[in-house]
Amino acid sequence: MASSASPPILPISNSQPAPAATTASTGSISSPSLAPVNTPAFRVFLSRLQESIRRSLSDRRPWSELLDRSAFSRPDSLSDATSRLRRNFSYFRINYFTLIAAVLALSLVSHPASLIVLLGLLASWCFLYIFRPSDPPLTLFGRTFSDRETLLGLTLITVFVVFLTSVGSLIISALLVGAALVAAHGAFRVPEDLFLDDQEPGGAATGFLSFLGGGASTVGPAVVMGRA
């Protein structure tokens, strides 16, 4: 009786779901898809841009000095106007860039459709090519695009938007209006009271556009590493 009361033998299953789950989880981790806004290249570019804008705006001249009505007079000749424009541009460079940017921004704000198209084009370049890591490749509508195909597509879209729509004409018109205002001010503003000895040649322009030079040298390797 005692020998017949032995405990039953439990069946043993050979299925191992845990490693499969581990493999799945490992596969999802081994190929991360970072959003472009979280890539180091994008963060470096933004920090360079903010630093460049802050440094350049700190070097601008007082607007009261730019708009001093007592310093305006008609130039005696074309060479005099050219000389005035050259000296005024060296002194008020940041103010002139700010004026052109303000005219461009005002033109875009007054045309919301063009502004939306331009922002969409800029976002496409940033998120589909410049700051997007090459792994995994770009996939749209079930098709995979290489970096060369992405660059070609964005270039064609940019040419179409700039030259075959009203966006390009709006930008060109705004830049021409801003350049005309700068030329008129530089030609009629008497620069005798301006002190240019402390101005380094190209110093302000370098600071204003340093995020395109120094930023590109830092962002470039990060993008290349992301595409390697």
Side-chain angles (χ1 to χ4, degrees):
M1 298 289 294
S3 61
S4 62
S6 60
I9 299 176
L10 299 177
I12 299 176
S13 176
N14 292 327
S15 61
Q16 297 178 355
T22 305
T23 304
S25 60
T26 305
S28 63
I29 296 175
S30 60
S31 59
S33 177
L34 293 177
V37 293
N38 294 329
T39 57
F42 189 78
R43 292 195 296 267
V44 169
F45 178 79
L46 286 183
S47 62
R48 289 274 185 175
L49 179 60
Q50 293 175 357
E51 180 183 355
S52 175
I53 293 177
R54 189 183 306 109
R55 188 190 313 117
S56 300
L57 291 180
S58 64
D59 295 336
R60 71 181 184 275
R61 304 300 178 179
W63 291 102
S64 58
E65 186 177 4
L66 180 76
L67 302 175
D68 185 10
R69 291 182 296 178
S70 61
F72 285 89
S73 66
R74 178 180 299 179
D76 298 332
S77 61
L78 181 60
S79 60
D80 184 26
T82 304
S83 177
R84 289 185 181 184
L85 178 59
R86 187 181 301 111
R87 296 186 63 185
N88 284 321
F89 185 80
S90 298
Y91 189 79
F92 294 111
R93 181 183 287 109
I94 301 300
N95 300 77
Y96 286 159
F97 284 152
T98 305
L99 177 61
I100 295 175
V103 172
L104 180 59
L106 183 61
S107 300
L108 291 175
V109 170
S110 61
H111 297 78
S114 299
L115 178 61
I116 293 175
V117 171
L118 189 62
L119 290 178
L121 181 62
L122 179 61
S124 299
W125 273 99
C126 291
F127 297 135
L128 296 181
Y129 186 77
I130 298 178
F131 302 111
R132 187 188 62 81
S134 59
D135 187 20
L138 179 64
T139 302
L140 293 176
F141 307 107
R143 186 182 186 279
T144 302
F145 296 88
S146 63
D147 289 342
R148 182 174 298 179
E149 292 174 338
T150 304
L151 177 60
L152 179 61
L154 289 174
T155 302
L156 293 177
I157 293 175
T158 302
V159 171
F160 175 79
V161 170
V162 172
F163 294 101
L164 299 179
T165 64
S166 60
V167 177
S169 61
L170 178 65
I171 294 176
I172 294 175
S173 301
L175 292 178
L176 290 178
V177 170
L181 292 177
V182 169
H185 180 274
F188 284 87
R189 174 65 160 81
V190 180
E192 275 71 15
D193 59 334
L194 305 182
F195 299 94
L196 303 178
D197 295 337
D198 58 341
Q199 282 286 104
E200 297 181 0
T206 303
F208 187 78
L209 301 177
S210 62
F211 73 96
L212 294 180
S217 63
T218 304
V219 173
V223 176
V224 172
M225 291 178 61
R227 295 183 179 277

